[in-house]
Amino acid sequence: MRSITVSFLLICILHTAVAQNLSTLTIQVMSNKEPLEYTSVGIQSTGKGGATDETGTLILQQIPYGSYKIIASRVGYGSRSVWVTLDAPEHFVTVDLIESTTSLDEVVVSGTMQEISKMESTVPVDVYSPKFFKANPAPSVFESMSNINGVRPQINCNVCNTGDIHINGLEGPYTMVLIDGMPIVSGLSSVYGLTGIPQSLIERVEIVKGPASTLYGSEAVGGLINLITKTPERAPMLSADAFVTSWGEVSSDIGLKFRATRKLQSIVGIHYFNYQNPIDKNGDNFTDLTLQNRLSVFNKWTMQRPGNRQFNLAGRYVYEDRWGGEMQWTTKNRGGQEVYGESIYTRRWEIFGTYQLPTSEKVDYQFSANGHQQDSYYGDLSFAAQQSILFQQLTWRKDWSTKHHLLLGLAYRYTYYNDNTTATATGSVTHLPGAFVQDEIQLNTQNKFLFGLRYDHNSLHGNILTPRFNYKWNSPNKKTILRWSIGNGYRVANVFTEDHAALTGARDVVFDGELNPERSWNSNINFVKNIITSSNAFIGIDASAFYTFFNNRIVPDYETNPNQIIYGNLDGTATSKGLSINLDLSWSHGLTALVGMTWMDVTLTENGQSRRQLLTERFSGVWSLGYTFGASLISLDYTGNLYGPMRLPLLGELDPRDEYSPWFSIQNIQVTKKYLNGLEIYGGIKNLLNFTPPANSIARAHDPFDEQVSFDTNGDVIATASNPYALTFDPSYVYAPNQGVRVFFGVRYTLSPI
């Protein structure tokens, strides 16, 4: 009996000792002093872990005393590890995560038309969150693109400042702009796809470099930009952002979320931009920045349906009045020959949505429609145009097995276009039915293939096939990824909807025969490496080598005749090749950096001779550096870009202007103060170096109607005493904005759901 009593006492003492060596650990995950819910947290080598609740907290119990490594990770924030020593019954630790500027493991849809982790996608997709664009606030996403590697917003006219987006050196008509995956933005309105949506309502921007014609059809030859807007479920209750600049620009965005019924939610966004302050700092008597008055209204609805089936409907209306020209121009001079001005009135509406059919299979019906009206004068040249597009698409996703993920689609696109030029006197209608198939094959956890094929029948140009192939390999820990792709693209051109230079009154437009569709082959090798150092620093490497070969390339010829733009299919070949690299760096003490560089060579070969493409740099670099000063919630952002020389369009052998642009850099700095109640105050300086092109960028700005220019019997300009360089008025010699250094100040406010 005595021995039993002693044994019992020993067991109690041992149990008490063990109990005293167990701890309850409370972990709270934060970012910028705000809790992060649904964050994955684990204790290495213990098997213990879970996800944080709405307060960013996770409680783990009965953990033996000792030292442990805690790892926290969340999509869009990367991951971070901290060491803790448990030597008490209760312990509390905070883990701070840093939001990645590129959201390295975001969900993407643009590459394969299916939601998939960026790291798992066989197609390389660049992803940028609103946080990235806030580092250099701009009145439109179009201007913000200047800080994305391999992407350059190109101003096409020194007078009206309209432009397009270049991807890897290929001009704007080769870039497709989507909103929520809908190809509703085309040539006549490509810029308007990147303006007018409040940036607080943008979930992310996805960029695919290289042909995407297999899934999206014509216009996606050089790549695509997909603006993904927030769903009402993810949008803040209220968001507002407004800033002003020392040049007199006023930009304001406001977003509002509301619930109409228990199952129906909506978001409304209003964007307004105004600039009415003519400035001529280079002394050429032309406005340095186009005056603008732009209003856009965006509305999106989502409905909860049985089985979580998708149904959303969105619409947008854009109105813009812009003009640039001689400083003394007024609306009374519109279309006249006394004072030169370029005045553009634009009205545009869009509606688009997705409806998932009530079937056991994953079948989506996607639709969009838009109308675009433009009433413009370029000097005394009138250009009035209308464009209407109807798009419908039916997709079926089917997992035949654990290895085969199939996507089938039927599409139809109707395009009506008419303008008041002789080229389209009666208007044109294009029917474009198509079908596509894609099979993503998962061989094992490390190897994946994707095969795709699209067939289109263009009512004007006949049958078109566009295949593609993609391969992806990843290391067992998925920290290293290698992708290889090859694909075919095609584009049907409409000059007057795509190239502003064709509209300027300074040159005559000449067509060298009928324009045939362009075809291209593209190959791309992509390497991704993610590293987390022992000091909790994150290093992301994303490098790509690309090569694009063109047949039937349509090239505007500015050089054969300085008074003409000659459009025709290149009697030869064209290539775009290069190498790009992105470095994404972040440290636990608050410093982040995104640095990108691109080397490329875009060459046109005709009659055995090669030449560089106009307005295309061989080197470009971008950077975005950010630092947060601890608990003060004050952050500093330094952004910029660097461009190498571009070949520029001269007006003849006597033109005294440089054939190549100089190296130039646009740099910006911003300071932001955040408050816990959702308020942000920010301000800074744009174009710190005050770089602007030379004052003679507009040829003969003093004689915009060529009243003092003499021509011979062949229509060629004759050098005279008043025109010794035999020039005509021409605003196409443009490679950078004319807007110099300026100060900006702004306020943001976000009200999140309680």
Side-chain angles (χ1 to χ4, degrees), residues 432-671:
L432 189 65
F436 57 88
V437 59
Q438 172 183 281
D439 188 14
E440 192 170 53
I441 306 171
Q442 182 81 52
L443 294 182
N444 50 49
T445 57
Q446 292 183 250
N447 294 275
K448 185 186 294 187
F449 292 89
L450 185 146
F451 298 91
L453 178 66
R454 183 184 182 103
Y455 165 77
D456 287 295
H457 178 78
N458 187 289
S459 59
L460 300 179
H461 299 283
N463 301 324
I464 302 172
L465 280 175
T466 49
R468 76 164 171 175
F469 169 79
N470 296 79
Y471 168 71
K472 171 183 170 289
W473 172 89
N474 58 260
S475 61
N477 62 4
K478 298 186 179 181
K479 298 295 184 182
T480 304
I481 298 174
L482 184 65
R483 298 181 176 99
W484 175 67
S485 64
I486 184 170
N488 182 241
Y490 80 97
R491 184 177 77 92
V492 178
N494 190 324
V495 168
F496 291 101
T497 69
E498 298 168 350
D499 192 350
H500 167 81
L503 304 175
T504 178
R507 292 173 181 251
D508 294 327
V509 176
V510 177
F511 291 97
D512 184 11
E514 183 179 354
L515 298 182
N516 296 316
E518 297 178 323
R519 301 301 300 261
S520 71
W521 282 96
N522 173 278
S523 184
N524 182 290
I525 298 176
N526 175 246
F527 172 78
V528 176
K529 179 71 173 179
N530 295 329
I531 304 169
I532 300 177
T533 68
S534 57
S535 60
N536 296 323
F538 173 82
I539 303 174
I541 304 172
D542 191 330
S544 294
F546 57 90
Y547 180 86
T548 303
F549 177 86
F550 282 93
N551 286 323
N552 288 336
R553 176 78 186 272
I554 298 172
V555 180
D557 180 2
Y558 293 83
E559 299 171 297
T560 300
N561 187 325
N563 299 312
Q564 297 177 340
I565 305 177
I566 304 173
Y567 290 91
N569 291 103
L570 188 69
D571 186 16
T573 61
T575 59
S576 171
K577 55 190 175 183
L579 174 68
S580 68
I581 183 170
N582 276 321
L583 298 176
D584 192 355
L585 312 169
S586 62
W587 292 265
S588 57
H589 54 67
L591 178 64
T592 61
L594 180 63
V595 181
M597 293 169 284
T598 297
W599 298 265
M600 61 185 176
D601 181 23
V602 183
T603 304
L604 310 175
T605 302
E606 194 171 23
N607 299 324
Q609 295 184 343
S610 297
R611 65 184 188 274
R612 281 179 60 181
Q613 179 177 280
L614 290 172
L615 298 169
T616 304
E617 70 282 3
R618 283 189 169 168
F619 173 84
S620 64
V622 296
W623 63 87
S624 179
L625 307 179
Y627 182 76
T628 301
F629 296 89
S632 67
L633 297 182
I634 295 176
S635 60
L636 179 67
D637 293 290
Y638 171 50
T639 59
N641 51 52
L642 174 67
Y643 294 109
M646 309 174 197
R647 196 166 72 91
L648 303 174
L650 298 180
L651 295 179
E653 296 180 356
L654 298 178
D655 195 328
R657 297 174 297 179
D658 293 332
E659 182 181 4
Y660 288 90
S661 65
W663 286 83
F664 71 94
S665 177
I666 306 294
Q667 302 177 24
N668 321 284
I669 193 167
Q670 174 186 251
V671 177

Side-chain angles (χ1 to χ4, degrees), residues 155-427:
I155 302 297
N156 290 331
C157 175
N158 266 313
V159 181
C160 71
N161 294 158
T162 55
D164 55 37
I165 298 292
H166 290 203
I167 295 182
N168 286 345
L170 297 180
E171 297 161 315
Y174 300 95
T175 300
M176 174 173 279
V177 179
L178 313 173
I179 301 178
D180 287 342
M182 290 289 96
I184 60 175
V185 182
S186 59
L188 186 62
S189 54
S190 60
V191 174
Y192 293 97
L194 300 175
T195 60
I197 296 180
Q199 295 191 29
S200 61
L201 296 184
I202 295 177
E203 179 79 15
R204 63 188 184 273
V205 176
E206 299 179 2
I207 298 176
V208 176
K209 300 173 183 176
S213 295
T214 301
L215 286 182
Y216 296 98
S218 180
E219 300 172 19
V221 175
L224 64 88
I225 299 172
N226 192 1
L227 275 67
I228 308 295
T229 61
K230 292 182 184 292
T231 62
E233 293 82 4
R234 295 179 59 89
M237 296 295 296
L238 174 67
S239 62
D241 189 350
F243 71 86
V244 297
T245 74
S246 57
W247 276 49
E249 299 162 281
V250 178
S251 179
S252 60
D253 289 334
I254 186 168
L256 177 67
K257 177 174 75 173
F258 64 92
R259 182 181 293 273
T261 67
R262 184 173 61 88
K263 295 184 178 182
L264 193 61
Q265 295 189 77
S266 178
I267 52 175
V268 177
I270 299 175
H271 163 80
Y272 180 66
F273 177 75
N274 185 275
Y275 172 69
Q276 301 295 324
N277 183 30
I279 293 177
D280 176 27
K281 289 187 177 294
N282 62 9
D284 62 359
N285 195 41
F286 272 73
T287 53
D288 293 341
L289 178 65
T290 302
L291 279 68
Q292 301 175 53
N293 187 27
R294 181 172 65 242
L295 174 67
S296 174
V297 180
F298 174 79
N299 186 210
K300 185 175 185 177
W301 293 81
T302 61
M303 175 182 289
Q304 294 180 0
R305 299 176 59 216
N308 292 321
R309 292 186 179 91
Q310 185 181 13
F311 178 45
N312 63 69
L313 182 67
R316 187 169 66 132
Y317 176 78
V318 181
Y319 169 78
E320 184 181 77
D321 174 8
R322 71 161 60 203
W323 76 267
E326 293 186 276
M327 294 289 289
Q328 65 271 30
W329 188 92
T330 68
T331 54
K332 296 180 180 179
N333 302 115
R334 192 172 193 262
Q337 298 182 347
E338 296 181 356
V339 181
Y340 188 90
E342 298 188 357
S343 171
I344 305 172
Y345 299 153
T346 301
R347 292 177 175 85
R348 176 177 178 81
W349 61 267
E350 305 161 353
I351 184 170
F352 51 95
T354 300
Y355 177 78
Q356 183 179 345
L357 272 60
T359 64
S360 58
E361 300 290 338
K362 182 69 168 63
V363 181
D364 289 335
Y365 171 65
Q366 299 171 300
F367 56 92
S368 68
N370 67 75
H372 189 100
Q373 291 185 326
Q374 179 171 320
D375 173 15
S376 52
Y377 276 93
Y378 300 87
D380 58 352
L381 174 66
S382 169
F383 179 74
Q386 305 85 38
Q387 186 177 53
S388 300
I389 298 176
L390 171 66
F391 176 81
Q392 300 179 81
Q393 181 168 273
L394 195 68
T395 60
W396 175 37
R397 296 171 176 84
K398 179 68 175 180
D399 294 337
W400 290 108
S401 66
T402 57
K403 292 186 176 181
H404 287 269
H405 308 283
L406 194 65
L407 174 68
L408 299 173
L410 296 174
Y412 171 73
R413 180 170 174 171
Y414 166 89
T415 302
Y416 169 79
Y417 175 77
N418 191 23
D419 61 37
N420 61 341
T421 67
T422 56
T424 55
T426 60

Side-chain angles (χ1 to χ4, degrees), residues 31-37 54 74 77 134 200-201 230-240 255-258 265 267 674-680 748-754:
S31 178
N32 287 330
K33 299 298 180 179
E34 295 182 0
L36 286 180
E37 59 183 355
E54 63 274 6
R74 189 177 190 271
Y77 290 79
K134 287 180 181 179
S200 61
L201 296 184
K230 292 182 184 292
T231 62
E233 293 82 4
R234 295 179 59 89
M237 296 295 296
L238 174 67
S239 62
L256 177 67
K257 177 174 75 173
F258 64 92
Q265 295 189 77
I267 52 175
K674 294 184 179 180
Y675 297 89
L676 297 179
N677 61 359
L679 179 67
E680 296 182 28
R748 296 189 189 99
Y749 178 72
T750 302
L751 177 63
S752 300
I754 299 176

